[in-house]
Amino acid sequence: MLAIGGAFSPLHPAHAQWAVYDGANLVENVLIAARTLQQIDNQITSLTNQAQMLVNQGRNLASLPLSTLGTLQSTISQTTALLAQAQNIAYSVQSVEQQYQQAYTSISSGMSDSTLFSQAQTRWQNSVAGLEDALKLQARVVGNIPSDSSAMTQLVSASQTSTGALQAAQAGNQLMALQSRQLSDIQAELAANGRAAELERARQAANEAGAEAQYQHFAHYDAYVPEAVSIPGSGN
């Protein structure tokens, strides 16, 4: 009976184990995770901006692959060489003073006809040479136009397609150098044309002085003096 009774004795009720839900703690954890993700996103954005900035700086520091400096220097050297080849009266103050004195201002009535003729011939040769020099320089300036046009097209294209500030600045600098070289061509051409014109005006003025000197020489030394002439058999 005890055994049976023990078998049928009522069981003690079991105690249930319930987890305690802390809503405030969960919300705090979610907020912390969200702030962490936001910080990571901000760091990624900052690194991306820094990387782009470095790329842009690299582009700004990239050098222009096109250079027209050699062509410009060669053209200037050719123009300078033509000016240095000026005939008879060079582009030199000393040369102008010396030769101008000899052929244009040292004219007097005491000179012989041969001397006056020699000076006039020298002046004529100077004028012809001056015109020839001016024509040569004009031909050089006109000959530079095709190469200048090609260089300008290349530089403008390089400026428009430049990847950074340095390339754009270098293209602009080369365009300014091209314009300066063209201005020097114009200056040289004006100088050559002015030289030829002044030589011709000086020749005309000197020729007038030479003609006056010849007249004075003739009036004082070679003028005809009438004399009485006796004709045989005329009784006079």
Side-chain angles (χ1 to χ4, degrees):
M1 292 294 291
L2 289 175
I4 296 172
F8 287 96
S9 62
L11 299 174
H12 296 287
H15 295 284
Q17 299 295 325
W18 296 98
V20 178
Y21 175 76
D22 190 347
N25 186 45
L26 179 60
V27 171
E28 182 67 22
N29 291 335
V30 171
L31 291 176
I32 292 174
R35 285 194 292 268
T36 302
L37 289 175
Q38 184 63 44
Q39 291 177 356
I40 294 174
D41 185 65
N42 292 339
Q43 290 177 358
I44 293 175
T45 302
S46 177
L47 291 174
T48 302
N49 292 336
Q50 290 180 6
Q52 186 61 45
M53 182 179 63
L54 292 174
V55 171
N56 292 336
Q57 288 179 355
R59 290 175 178 175
N60 288 334
L61 296 175
S63 179
L64 189 71
L66 174 65
S67 176
T68 60
L69 180 59
T71 302
L72 294 178
Q73 289 178 333
S74 176
T75 304
I76 293 176
S77 297
Q78 292 172 1
T79 302
T80 304
L82 276 179
L83 293 175
Q85 295 172 6
Q87 304 175 71
N88 300 341
I89 298 181
Y91 290 95
S92 165
V93 175
Q94 183 178 1
S95 175
V96 170
E97 290 178 346
Q98 179 181 358
Q99 299 188 41
Y100 200 83
Q101 177 67 26
Q102 293 176 356
Y104 293 88
T105 59
S106 60
I107 301 173
S108 65
S109 59
M111 290 182 174
S112 64
D113 290 341
S114 60
T115 300
L116 292 173
F117 175 77
S118 177
Q119 285 187 342
Q121 187 177 29
T122 298
R123 292 190 294 269
W124 176 81
Q125 291 173 346
N126 290 342
S127 293
V128 172
L131 292 173
E132 182 181 0
D133 292 338
L135 289 174
K136 287 181 180 178
L137 194 55
Q138 288 175 359
R140 167 57 59 188
V141 172
V142 173
N144 291 337
I145 293 177
S147 61
D148 288 351
S149 177
S150 176
M152 182 176 62
T153 300
Q154 293 177 358
L155 289 172
V156 170
S157 177
S159 176
Q160 292 176 342
T161 59
S162 60
T163 59
L166 179 59
Q167 288 189 357
Q170 288 178 338
N173 290 339
Q174 291 190 53
L175 281 171
M176 292 180 61
L178 175 60
Q179 292 177 349
S180 298
R181 209 270 304 139
Q182 290 174 333
L183 289 176
S184 69
D185 274 358
I186 295 174
Q187 185 179 17
E189 183 178 354
L190 290 175
N193 291 339
R195 174 176 177 269
E198 293 302 325
L199 284 173
E200 179 58 20
R201 280 196 287 266
R203 184 187 71 84
Q204 294 175 1
N207 285 350
E208 292 178 1
E212 178 65 22
Q214 284 182 311
Y215 173 78
Q216 294 295 334
H217 185 275
F218 173 80
H220 285 84
Y221 302 102
D222 300 329
Y224 173 73
V225 178
E227 296 180 356
V229 180
S230 60
I231 302 175
S234 63
N236 296 329

